[in-house]
Amino acid sequence: MPKRPDLPTKFAKIVVTDDRGRYVLPALPRATYNIWVRGYGLVDSPKVQAQPGKTIDLKAVPASNAKEAAQYYPAIDWFAMLKVPAKNEFPLGRVQEPGPMAGGR
């Protein structure tokens, strides 16, 4: 994730790796960028300053637990990944009366 801090407006570019962990940041204006690794299940890696044309080797940093990993993405990102089953996929059908675990009798 490259970010250029010296612009009056925010400039960020997000790229993904291939199956071998390689990445390319195409068409970046000449400048110095802060580049780091961010991803689901990770915490942000240390930021490295680099310019276009420079080869750098970044290392992903696994989160020590799910709570730590969740701090890096807003709740709406996690919500967007949620796949709610279709109505006909719910096994119970219509519940007439809540059971004891739900405050019923």
Side-chain angles (χ1 to χ4, degrees):
M1 173 179 261
K3 194 177 267 189
R4 185 176 169 191
D6 59 340
L7 291 175
T9 59
K10 181 180 176 180
F11 178 85
K13 191 166 196 100
I14 298 171
V15 297
V16 295
T17 62
D18 66 11
D19 58 354
R20 291 176 44 197
R22 299 174 303 181
Y23 59 93
V24 175
L25 301 168
L28 290 176
R30 185 155 301 286
T32 299
Y33 294 88
N34 293 321
I35 302 175
W36 69 95
V37 177
R38 173 178 283 179
Y40 293 107
L42 305 173
V43 295
D44 284 359
S45 70
K47 291 182 172 98
V48 175
Q49 288 198 335
Q51 299 81 32
K54 183 177 180 186
T55 300
I56 57 174
D57 186 21
L58 300 171
K59 302 288 183 199
V61 180
S64 60
N65 57 54
K67 182 178 179 183
E68 184 181 38
Q71 301 302 310
Y72 285 83
Y73 288 92
I76 195 65
D77 286 7
W78 296 104
F79 181 75
M81 291 189 292
L82 184 68
K83 181 186 177 289
V84 178
K87 186 176 181 179
N88 65 345
E89 294 179 293
F90 283 93
L92 296 177
R94 186 178 177 93
V95 176
Q96 300 298 321
E97 182 177 316
M101 296 296 286
R105 294 182 224 155

